[in-house]
Amino acid sequence: MSQDKEIYSMPRKTDSDFVNLVLNEVEFARRKFPSNKVLFAALVEEVGEVAKALQDETRDRLVSELVQVAAMALRLAVEGDPAYANSLPEPDGNFF
């Protein structure tokens, strides 16, 4: 069997598998770093780690970094960053 066929015969992860990893990472990050201060900086840092992983890391490491980017993006969208007033939720709690 060729290597390509072996890759395609492996069980595929689904979008919901990735989203579940992201939600778990969000919970972990909120416990470890409960403040929404510097969320934008954290997101940018994680994007840099994705760039590095794309160049010279394993697929598992890349996915781990992508999960962290998605988690930081979710937190920034929901919680905002006080350094950027337009990122903060409205006083009524609406984000979108």
Side-chain angles (χ1 to χ4, degrees):
M1 180 182 294
S2 77
Q3 187 176 3
D4 288 339
K5 288 186 180 182
E6 288 176 23
I7 291 170
Y8 291 112
S9 67
M10 293 174 9
R12 295 268 181 206
K13 299 288 184 185
T14 65
D15 293 350
S16 61
D17 293 327
F18 183 81
V19 170
N20 286 333
L21 291 173
V22 171
L23 293 175
N24 288 335
E25 180 65 23
V26 167
E27 288 180 27
F28 173 78
R30 281 186 177 140
R31 283 193 307 273
K32 189 171 181 182
F33 306 105
S35 174
N36 67 339
K37 292 180 181 175
V38 303
L39 282 180
F40 178 68
L43 173 61
V44 170
E45 177 190 5
E46 293 301 337
V47 169
E49 291 179 10
V50 166
K52 181 180 181 332
L54 279 167
Q55 297 298 313
D56 53 36
E57 299 285 344
T58 65
R59 169 85 178 147
D60 286 346
R61 183 70 180 155
L62 173 61
V63 170
S64 175
E65 295 302 338
L66 289 167
V67 166
Q68 291 176 36
V69 165
M72 289 301 100
L74 186 149
R75 286 193 68 188
L76 184 59
V78 172
E79 300 169 39
D81 183 323
Y84 304 92
N86 65 339
S87 74
L88 296 172
E90 296 296 320
D92 63 4
N94 289 325
F95 303 108
F96 311 110

